[in-house]
Amino acid sequence: MAALRPVSRIILNRRESKKLIRLYNRGDLKWSDVALSKLKLMVRQVLRKEQGGMCLYCQRTIVVERRNAAEDIEHFLDKSRDAYKRYAFNATNLLLSCHACNFEKGTRDLGTPAIRAARYLLPPMGPFRWPHPYFDDMQAYIEKRRGPVYIPISDSGRRVQAINLIKDLKLNDIKNIESRHNFLTQRSMRITTLAGKAARIGGERNRRRIIFLMNEQERIQAELY
């Protein structure tokens, strides 16, 4: 996968979006306000497609769950920090991550004093603490092997940043690996049950549901094995 394209920009540049973003930047709206729900949903949908349903940090499939329980809109530069609040709706600061990676990242500062002082979010302002998903090809710096096990690529030019990401997110923590494996195994069994039920009921709606479930099953199996 190449570096992400800022596909959410077309949504964020709409007149109605700009109005909401101005209210947020002014402090009149909070990130959790219902008024932003539609805008965040549209951003979520285009990012999901651009990322191919993958968390760019751990390079694993984000399982689609009800109420987006396994998926978060992530700010590479954390919006809770005063220096980065202006980037809350910046197209090159928004991505989707799995809930586990977002939880481990927390409010970690991935910038530097120069980045915090910069007026714009542009490639030359790095390097950041981690490879940047819009300015770097994440898979060119971190190799994901079966298990999964994560290896920084030595001659990539971002080896230090790759090591930081792997260490900060505890990607090679065996507990995390086992937990992820158990989660995917249980999800796979659930999909098999749901697909069987849909096949028994029949009909066009269930036929489409079976196709969706089988695609999901294929992604899970690819990660497990």
Side-chain angles (χ1 to χ4, degrees), residues 67-86:
R67 301 178 65 85
N68 308 307
E71 169 192 271
D72 294 323
I73 295 179
E74 152 70 0
H75 296 82
F76 185 79
L77 296 176
D78 192 82
K79 68 182 186 302
S80 69
R81 292 180 174 272
D82 291 341
Y84 306 139
K85 184 178 179 180
R86 64 187 182 277

Side-chain angles (χ1 to χ4, degrees), residues 55 164 172:
C55 172
N164 288 339
N172 284 331

Side-chain angles (χ1 to χ4, degrees), residues 2-15:
L4 286 183
R5 300 170 300 164
V7 291
S8 62
R9 185 171 290 156
I10 190 170
I11 294 168
L12 300 174
N13 283 341
R14 292 174 181 171
R15 183 182 300 174

Side-chain angles (χ1 to χ4, degrees), residues 76-77 83-84 86-87 90 92-93 109-130 132 134-136 158 161:
F76 185 79
L77 296 176
Y84 306 139
R86 64 187 182 277
Y87 298 138
N90 186 300
T92 52
N93 196 44
D109 189 352
L110 302 183
T112 63
I115 291 169
R116 288 190 287 275
R119 295 186 60 188
Y120 303 104
L121 188 54
L122 299 169
M125 66 192 296
F128 299 84
R129 178 171 174 81
W130 298 352
H132 194 293
Y134 284 94
F135 307 148
D136 300 312
R158 289 281 189 273
Q161 288 81 3

Side-chain angles (χ1 to χ4, degrees), residues 63-66 181-194 209 212-213 216-217 220-221:
V63 179
V64 179
E65 292 281 2
R66 291 167 295 175
H181 187 277
N182 291 338
F183 172 77
L184 289 175
T185 300
Q186 292 172 12
R187 177 64 179 164
S188 176
M189 292 170 64
R190 176 65 174 161
I191 286 175
T192 300
T193 300
L194 292 174
R209 181 167 174 75
F212 170 80
L213 289 170
E216 189 73 19
Q217 184 77 287
I220 290 173
Q221 293 302 312

Side-chain angles (χ1 to χ4, degrees), residues 4-222:
L4 286 183
R5 300 170 300 164
V7 291
S8 62
R9 185 171 290 156
I10 190 170
I11 294 168
L12 300 174
N13 283 341
R14 292 174 181 171
R15 183 182 300 174
E16 59 271 26
S17 299
K18 287 183 175 181
K19 187 182 298 184
L20 290 169
I21 293 169
R22 279 196 297 271
L23 290 173
Y24 174 85
N25 288 338
R26 222 163 51 201
D28 296 334
L29 286 177
K30 296 180 180 179
W31 180 259
S32 58
D33 282 347
V34 175
L36 293 173
S37 296
K38 183 178 178 181
L39 175 57
K40 291 192 293 185
L41 175 61
M42 291 188 291
V43 168
R44 184 185 297 276
Q45 289 171 337
V46 296
L47 288 175
R48 191 181 289 158
K49 183 176 181 180
E50 172 69 5
Q51 294 178 208
M54 178 194 296
C55 172
L56 296 194
Y57 294 144
C58 63
Q59 302 178 28
R60 298 183 294 194
T61 299
I62 301 175
V63 179
V64 179
E65 292 281 2
R66 291 167 295 175
R67 301 178 65 85
N68 308 307
E71 169 192 271
D72 294 323
I73 295 179
E74 152 70 0
H75 296 82
F76 185 79
L77 296 176
D78 192 82
K79 68 182 186 302
S80 69
R81 292 180 174 272
D82 291 341
Y84 306 139
K85 184 178 179 180
R86 64 187 182 277
Y87 298 138
F89 286 99
N90 186 300
T92 52
N93 196 44
L94 294 167
L95 62 147
L96 291 185
S97 74
C98 67
H99 182 69
C101 282
N102 193 34
F103 180 80
E104 289 293 346
K105 177 176 178 282
T107 60
R108 193 183 306 275
D109 189 352
L110 302 183
T112 63
I115 291 169
R116 288 190 287 275
R119 295 186 60 188
Y120 303 104
L121 188 54
L122 299 169
M125 66 192 296
F128 299 84
R129 178 171 174 81
W130 298 352
H132 194 293
Y134 284 94
F135 307 148
D136 300 312
D137 178 354
M138 305 291 271
Q139 293 179 337
Y141 307 123
I142 299 174
E143 180 185 358
K144 172 175 168 277
R145 297 179 181 175
R146 291 186 183 276
V149 174
Y150 298 86
I151 308 294
I153 298 175
S154 297
D155 57 352
S156 65
R158 289 281 189 273
R159 187 172 185 275
V160 171
Q161 288 81 3
I163 290 172
N164 288 339
L165 187 151
I166 293 168
K167 181 180 178 180
D168 291 346
L169 294 181
K170 304 176 184 176
L171 293 184
N172 284 331
D173 186 322
I174 190 64
K175 293 179 181 178
N176 290 342
I177 294 171
E178 288 179 348
S179 175
R180 176 69 177 177
H181 187 277
N182 291 338
F183 172 77
L184 289 175
T185 300
Q186 292 172 12
R187 177 64 179 164
S188 176
M189 292 170 64
R190 176 65 174 161
I191 286 175
T192 300
T193 300
L194 292 174
K197 183 177 180 180
R200 288 193 298 273
I201 296 173
E204 179 59 24
R205 182 178 178 181
N206 280 300
R207 186 188 70 81
R208 292 196 299 269
R209 181 167 174 75
I210 289 170
I211 292 173
F212 170 80
L213 289 170
M214 290 301 97
N215 288 337
E216 189 73 19
Q217 184 77 287
E218 185 176 331
R219 286 195 293 268
I220 290 173
Q221 293 302 312

